[in-house]
Amino acid sequence: MSPQLTSKAAPIVIVGAGVFGLSTAIHLAERGYTNVKVLDKQPYHETLYSYDKGCDAASADTNKIIRAAYGSQVEYQTLALEAIVEWKKWNKELKAEATIPSRLSSEDVLFVNNGNLTLSSHETLPNFEQETIKNMAKAGLEATQVVLNNPDHVSRATDKGYGFAVNPFNRKRNYGLLDIQGGFVYADKACHFALHKAQQLGVQFVLGGSQGTFARFLHDESSRIVGVETADGVSHAAELTIMACGGWTPSLVPQLDNLCETTAGSVCIFQLPLGSPLWDRLAPENFPTWTYDIRDGKVGGLYGFARDPNGIVKIGYRGMKFTNPRKQEDGVARSVPITRWTEQSTRQLPLTAAQVIRGFVQDHLPDLLSCEVTSRLCWYTDSFDNHFVIDFVPCVEGLMVATGGSGHGFKFLPNLGAHVVDRIEGKPNGYLDFWKWRSLGPGQTPYNSINEGEGSQRSLHRQPLTADDSLASSTSHL
């Protein structure tokens, strides 16, 4: 039994119905916790996690990368391989389930194993890819890694049915690594399916409007948090409150200062018309999930996907991660999300991001430039070391966070919650050593620069922006 809870019938409130919240809810219910409630301001039961219908969390997206490659980080490699096994199980569940979630069918698929292609402009494989090859070999998975300029490797990939993924951009100097274990998931469908699973397990959801919107914490006379109040004035009692609010978490839990910060990736969505010469070429069975110079700073950091069934082609940029510092009630400036669905809505991208995306598309998929394009800022929560934060908030009884996805958390939707429950129950778990509450040590270099404040060059108000839903330049600022 958890040292934090009196029984498995004790009330638990999770604020946030994205990846961290959904996964936690599922695994709590599977372990026998019978009084789990999830709150979220979004009416996900109606919008089905569709960004176009107003869902602006990072989890509400067309697709997300599934990769097993993690360089020297063997722990994440193992966790990702376990997640892929679970994604395949979820695919089977969706096919076989007697009661399929509304607006999904047995013809739908969540995980598409079309390979994960890491492209590089450098002939010599970067150290990350070299470490990946080494650690996959140690795991007995050497044959899953394909060095693109190795003819024997390419032949092996072709024999396994992944010839299409070796050089989809027809590059003359085709450098990089293909992992045939990876691919992508349809993110909105996956979250909708996970919500359905949680409901089937008995988890209660309060979604949308004032009834689902967190307003404040409730405290007892000893200052212990004993639940939350929503914007409609209703109290939700809890022996344990878990904040899993994605990009909104750092501003709601200020104790995360200097540990986590909300940052934005930049995304362009191209709409292929039927009959486009790219329609068949970019189909998932003919085109892999890809990244390009993903760790080369602001001149790289690109990733993209095959088209979806509706002809959407998504290309994203994380080479420079942007912030939106806004002064909070306590006088501290913290980055908070700003999306087209917020009061200060935006349909613009930082010009730096737009130029990198446009340059890549011009060189590799120029036909996309004639397509209708929309854009979004996708808000994540970065930790300074790129590890998640799954722990109790120090000096605050009754409060826990599950956050810090750092742009690589979605792939773990099926299995991440098991580790959150281990933290709650106080079970030994090596992953939790990485995900504990922590601070930057003396001489430690952060993986992610965070909390640079209003003067940061990454702040959106210091960035020239594009015109609305465009890759063209603009002189406006937020």
Side-chain angles (χ1 to χ4, degrees), residues 404-419:
S406 304
H408 67 113
F410 195 101
K411 68 177 70 65
F412 304 117
L413 171 57
N415 58 335
L416 182 64
H419 302 279

Side-chain angles (χ1 to χ4, degrees), residues 59-388:
S59 298
D61 205 346
T62 307
N63 38 34
K64 295 289 188 185
I65 292 174
I66 300 297
R67 63 178 168 99
Y70 262 96
S72 61
Q73 296 180 307
V74 179
E75 295 82 5
Y76 284 107
Q77 173 183 297
T78 301
L79 193 67
L81 291 169
E82 292 170 351
I84 288 172
V85 172
E86 295 304 312
W87 281 115
K88 291 177 179 178
K89 289 181 182 177
W90 280 21
N91 276 351
K92 290 180 179 178
E93 285 181 35
L94 187 57
K95 298 292 184 189
E97 198 165 292
T99 306
I100 294 173
S102 61
R103 286 174 276 181
L104 287 180
S105 76
S106 60
E107 301 302 312
D108 282 308
V109 65
L110 303 179
F111 169 53
V112 178
N113 178 208
N114 64 336
N116 188 266
L117 181 63
T118 303
L119 297 170
S120 174
S121 58
H122 312 290
E123 183 174 3
T124 301
L125 278 179
N127 184 66
F128 184 95
E129 281 66 42
Q130 293 184 41
E131 289 293 322
T132 292
I133 292 170
K134 183 189 305 180
N135 286 313
M136 287 295 179
K138 289 179 180 178
L141 298 168
E142 184 176 11
T144 64
Q145 306 302 301
V146 178
V147 179
L148 301 183
N149 56 350
N150 184 317
D152 292 337
H153 285 203
V154 171
S155 294
R156 184 176 70 217
T158 301
D159 291 343
K160 291 179 178 291
Y162 288 88
F164 69 89
V166 172
N167 192 7
F169 295 106
N170 300 317
R171 302 167 76 214
K172 292 182 179 178
R173 297 180 177 179
N174 193 35
Y175 306 134
L177 185 68
L178 170 65
D179 179 0
I180 66 173
Q181 301 168 104
F184 70 93
V185 291
Y186 289 110
D188 48 4
K189 292 179 181 179
C191 287
H192 177 40
F193 183 71
L195 189 152
H196 173 74
K197 283 179 68 70
Q199 288 176 319
Q200 294 296 103
L201 288 164
V203 175
Q204 179 185 356
F205 284 83
V206 181
L207 302 174
S210 60
Q211 66 175 1
T213 301
F214 170 86
R216 66 183 183 93
F217 294 110
L218 301 174
H219 300 82
D220 66 10
E221 62 279 359
S222 66
S223 296
R224 177 186 175 88
I225 288 178
V226 291
V228 304
E229 183 180 292
T230 43
D232 59 355
V234 173
S235 296
H236 302 268
E239 285 194 14
L240 177 63
T241 299
I242 304 172
M243 300 299 283
C245 316
W248 285 264
T249 312
S251 58
L252 297 175
V253 185
Q255 292 89 344
L256 286 166
D257 287 354
N258 301 312
L259 174 50
C260 288
E261 183 177 40
T262 298
T263 69
S266 305
V267 174
C268 282
I269 298 166
F270 300 87
Q271 178 63 63
L272 285 183
L274 282 172
S276 165
L278 292 178
W279 189 270
D280 289 338
R281 179 183 169 190
L282 299 186
E285 63 270 20
N286 299 324
F287 203 80
T289 306
W290 59 271
T291 63
Y292 180 75
D293 284 347
I294 195 66
R295 285 168 290 278
D296 277 16
K298 69 178 184 178
V299 298
L302 287 167
Y303 62 93
F305 301 84
R307 66 157 174 83
D308 79 351
N310 298 313
I312 287 175
V313 178
K314 174 182 149 187
I315 296 179
Y317 170 81
R318 286 274 284 173
M320 189 173 186
K321 294 173 281 189
F322 302 97
T323 61
N324 181 41
R326 292 291 183 267
K327 192 161 289 188
Q328 308 293 296
E329 290 183 4
D330 61 2
V332 177
R334 297 184 182 91
S335 181
V336 295
I338 178 172
T339 77
R340 71 176 54 190
W341 305 116
T342 60
E343 291 182 8
Q344 293 178 301
S345 63
T346 178
R347 292 173 177 265
Q348 299 169 287
L349 293 183
L351 189 55
T352 296
Q355 287 173 335
V356 175
I357 293 173
R358 184 181 181 89
F360 182 88
V361 172
Q362 182 68 61
D363 290 343
H364 296 93
L365 292 170
D367 288 348
L368 283 182
L369 294 178
S370 63
C371 295
E372 177 186 347
V373 61
T374 56
S375 60
R376 70 174 286 192
L377 294 171
C378 190
W379 293 93
Y380 302 85
T381 301
D382 284 344
S383 68
F384 67 77
D385 56 8
N386 222 43
H387 294 307
F388 310 149

Side-chain angles (χ1 to χ4, degrees), residues 374-445:
T374 56
S375 60
R376 70 174 286 192
L377 294 171
C378 190
W379 293 93
Y380 302 85
T381 301
D382 284 344
S383 68
F384 67 77
D385 56 8
N386 222 43
H387 294 307
F388 310 149
V389 183
I390 297 174
D391 207 348
F392 302 99
V393 179
C395 305
V396 183
E397 291 292 320
L399 183 62
M400 183 179 184
V401 294
T403 190
S406 304
H408 67 113
F410 195 101
K411 68 177 70 65
F412 304 117
L413 171 57
N415 58 335
L416 182 64
H419 302 279
V420 182
V421 182
D422 279 354
R423 175 72 80 192
I424 293 169
E425 295 182 342
K427 290 186 176 180
N429 182 321
Y431 289 105
L432 298 178
D433 292 337
F434 293 104
W435 302 339
K436 64 185 178 183
W437 202 278
R438 56 200 180 272
S439 58
L440 194 66
Q444 184 180 357
T445 302

